[in-house]
Amino acid sequence: MHALRFYFDPISPYAALAFWNLPEALQGRNHVVDYVPVLFGAMLKANGQKGPAEIENKRAWTYRQVLLLGRAQSLSLPAQHPFNPLALLRLAWACCDEGSTPSRWVVEQLLNHVWQGQGADANEPARLQALAETLAPQRRADEETAKRRLREATDAALAAGVFGVPTIEWQGKLFWGQDALPMLVAALDGDPWFRSGAWEDAGKRPVGIQRS
């Protein structure tokens, strides 16, 4: 059985696209997926980067692309983006036992809340309350347990080399972005490229320095 870890933050439309497309990509393959909510902003800070929505031209391109790619799922942009995802991330962790991760159903509700909300504000208090009532978490999302689990998951993801969302981890290999699903499937199906050493060699290539 293939054991996968799906790192995501509901702030990312690409995380929603990857989540929605994952079942079809993995169809016919024996697998189990752990869904791991992490704080994308902490990854950007750790790597000294800006998010796509913080760069004007990149933000415009991102919105155009995801609206096209998400037509089949009726993807819509939330009223505010980027937004603070902490309430949603902590709610996800509040929905599972210690030592486990949120179920696919819980993750689906979170992502649909943001990206199928017909343009509503993801952090609008009444909507957050309705979402919490639907999910019926085991504890309050603002309790220290949920906050701690989010911190621990984010730190563990960074330690594993995760730098963005969505990222799927399989046997120590990281597949970043919804457009990496075909690459993941190739690896799961035993594509000889992954046994040739090309994966390791590509990761060891030196950084070139351009001189003016």
Side-chain angles (χ1 to χ4, degrees):
M1 177 178 290
H2 299 299
L4 311 174
R5 292 179 69 80
F6 183 97
Y7 298 96
F8 76 97
D9 183 328
I11 199 172
S12 169
Y14 296 105
L17 290 170
F19 178 87
W20 292 330
N21 290 317
L22 191 60
E24 181 178 359
L26 297 178
Q27 188 173 8
R29 296 167 180 85
N30 192 15
H31 66 278
V32 61
V33 183
D34 286 332
Y35 296 94
V36 186
V38 293
L39 183 59
F40 180 42
M43 295 179 173
L44 293 174
K45 183 177 180 180
N47 290 290
Q49 297 177 324
K50 289 184 177 181
E54 298 177 87
I55 303 169
E56 183 177 356
N57 291 339
K58 194 171 187 178
R59 178 176 66 250
W61 166 254
T62 296
Y63 293 161
R64 291 167 184 145
Q65 185 183 42
V66 299
L67 285 171
L68 175 64
L69 295 177
R71 287 181 299 177
Q73 294 84 13
S74 300
L75 181 148
S76 60
L77 300 175
Q80 302 293 329
H81 193 271
F83 59 88
N84 188 337
L86 281 174
L88 293 171
L89 289 165
R90 291 168 178 168
L91 178 58
W93 282 112
C95 290
C96 57
D97 295 325
E98 191 78 28
S100 65
T101 55
S103 69
R104 181 175 173 86
W105 179 79
V106 166
V107 177
E108 182 178 32
Q109 305 314 305
L110 288 172
L111 293 174
N112 290 356
H113 169 86
V114 177
W115 298 106
Q116 292 182 337
Q118 299 181 324
D121 187 340
N123 277 332
E124 199 277 318
R127 293 191 71 228
L128 284 176
Q129 178 62 32
L131 178 63
E133 291 175 359
T134 297
L135 295 180
Q138 300 179 18
R139 61 188 64 84
R140 288 175 56 91
D142 58 1
E143 289 183 8
E144 180 55 32
T145 298
K147 296 178 181 180
R148 172 183 56 80
R149 296 207 65 193
L150 174 58
R151 290 194 302 268
E152 291 175 348
T154 302
D155 289 344
L158 283 166
V162 178
F163 56 86
V165 291
T167 292
I168 301 176
E169 180 182 2
W170 174 72
Q171 295 188 354
K173 294 180 174 62
L174 301 177
F175 299 84
W176 170 57
Q178 55 86 212
D179 54 347
L181 290 181
M183 191 175 185
L184 169 66
V185 170
L188 298 179
D189 290 348
D191 189 303
W193 184 86
F194 291 89
R195 298 192 300 270
S196 70
W199 175 282
E200 291 77 10
D201 291 343
K204 296 176 182 177
R205 290 183 62 86
V207 177
I209 299 178
Q210 293 184 345
R211 300 185 185 274
S212 57

